[in-house]
Amino acid sequence: MTDEVPGHDPAELVIVTGMSGAGRSTTANVLEDSGWYVIDNLPPHLLVSLADLANEAPRRADLPRLAAVVDVRARGFFDHLQTALDELRERGWRPNLVFLDATDEAIVRRFESVRRPHPLQGDGRLLDGIIRERAMLADLRARADVVIDTSGLNVHQLAKKVHPVFSGDAGHKVRIAVMSFGFKYGVPLDADFVFDMRFLPNPFWIPELRNFTGRDAPVAEFVMAQEGAPEFVDRVVDLMSPVTAGYIREGRRYVTLAVGCTGGKHRSVAVAEALRARLTSDDVATFVVHRDLGQE
């Protein structure tokens, strides 16, 4: 087995890929603003050369964290990505593969708004290009360390969602994104774990609580006082303990835990906030994303 490159944290080399129109450029900008050295549209076969150059740097302490955007714009070169990833791992690197995804509907809407063709569209329809790309990237998505669903997010919301994943110095911590959502708006594409809070009474039906959200003390106190709510939080914390320990052993650094209710305003928000507080530890850094708060 090849020894790891001394001094390299797995998060120091990030490869951003995913569906065209799903927000790769925005993600690259967030990384750059967070101090990463970002190379856009890098041919995959040059990834190993990039890693070699980084490894040969005379002053490793001054070397910025590296990120490369690799996607189907590379055309025939894109087929080399899987091989490049395998070779990087053989050399001791543990790159984090970040996959940006969105629904077909969201991607169509974005391409139509900028009036540009899809890179794989050819002489067909826009949707034909999206279907080809999704089939081409299916195996890569399955191998991704991080999948980020950008459906329904504008540029600013996506930046806010991406920033906590890569900013700061998390060391060897696992980052858990605790996401609240409303089932009426669809289950998040990037969720690793999905929990349903609709077993709890809905504050929406209590007039004095309806206009508050799960961030507000009256709703949070009401939700967490319901039978089963504290026990649920306890069980999820217990569940995530061996999971995060396994992720650390396997070099995985990011997981999305999604908590849903009907509209994503009351129960899921309150429980997500409670989980964020309870899951934070020496080995785990957490942040919360309320995907559908404000939709109603």
Side-chain angles (χ1 to χ4, degrees):
M1 181 180 294
T2 304
D3 292 334
E4 290 191 10
V5 179
H8 278 285
D9 183 273
E12 288 184 335
L13 178 58
V14 165
I15 299 168
V16 179
T17 189
M19 295 294 294
S20 300
R24 295 185 309 251
S25 296
T26 298
T27 301
N29 291 337
V30 171
L31 285 164
E32 196 167 74
D33 292 343
S34 299
W36 293 70
Y37 182 77
V38 181
I39 303 174
D40 189 21
N41 200 13
L42 182 72
H45 63 279
L46 295 181
L47 281 168
V48 176
S49 299
L50 175 66
D52 287 342
L53 285 172
N55 193 40
E56 294 169 2
R59 296 187 62 190
R60 297 296 302 281
D62 295 337
L63 182 67
R65 294 175 292 177
L66 302 174
V69 181
V70 180
D71 52 68
V72 295
R73 289 175 296 170
R75 304 294 178 176
F77 293 123
F78 187 74
D79 295 336
H80 296 283
L81 181 54
Q82 298 277 18
T83 302
L85 289 171
D86 292 338
E87 186 171 349
L88 283 169
R89 292 187 175 100
E90 288 173 3
R91 291 173 177 238
W93 288 81
R94 296 167 68 183
N96 273 348
L97 181 62
V98 179
F99 192 100
L100 279 296
D101 203 354
T103 62
D104 291 353
E105 180 184 4
I107 293 173
V108 167
R109 186 170 60 250
R110 291 168 188 172
F111 270 101
E112 288 181 342
S113 69
V114 298
R115 299 181 181 179
R116 296 189 63 186
H118 188 280
L120 298 183
Q121 183 174 343
D123 296 328
R125 302 173 303 158
L126 173 59
L127 190 58
D128 293 333
I130 295 171
I131 292 171
R132 290 191 191 102
E133 185 178 34
R134 199 173 291 284
M136 181 186 297
L137 300 181
D139 290 342
L140 196 61
R141 188 188 192 281
R143 292 184 60 177
D145 300 288
V146 181
V147 177
I148 299 177
D149 175 17
T150 71
S151 306
L153 301 179
N154 61 36
V155 171
H156 304 293
Q157 290 169 329
L158 174 57
K160 187 176 181 180
K161 183 175 181 179
V162 169
H163 186 267
V165 180
F166 302 108
S167 63
D169 182 12
H172 291 279
K173 288 187 176 184
V174 172
R175 290 183 180 270
I176 297 181
V178 185
M179 178 187 297
S180 69
F181 72 95
F183 278 98
K184 66 190 290 184
Y185 303 111
V187 177
L189 294 176
D190 52 354
D192 297 294
F193 298 88
V194 178
F195 298 101
D196 187 351
M197 295 298 98
R198 291 175 293 185
F199 70 91
L200 298 173
N202 192 349
F204 178 84
W205 301 112
I206 301 175
E208 57 268 30
L209 296 179
R210 180 175 299 176
N211 294 327
F212 290 104
T213 76
R215 284 173 158 178
D216 298 311
V219 172
E221 291 169 2
F222 172 84
V223 170
M224 295 310 300
Q226 300 306 306
E227 182 178 359
E231 292 83 358
F232 171 82
V233 172
D234 289 342
R235 298 299 185 274
V236 173
V237 172
D238 290 342
L239 169 68
M240 295 307 296
S241 178
V243 170
T244 53
Y247 282 167
I248 291 171
R249 289 193 299 270
E250 294 299 315
R252 184 169 179 177
R253 292 290 180 262
Y254 182 86
V255 59
T256 297
L257 191 160
V259 182
C261 62
T262 303
K265 179 179 179 180
H266 296 109
R267 294 165 290 181
S268 62
V269 173
V271 172
E273 292 285 353
L275 285 170
R276 180 200 59 78
R278 288 284 305 279
L279 288 169
T280 302
S281 69
D282 291 340
D283 295 323
V284 177
T286 62
F287 62 97
V288 69
V289 177
H290 298 303
R291 191 193 71 175
D292 298 324
L293 198 59
Q295 291 266 29
E296 296 185 344

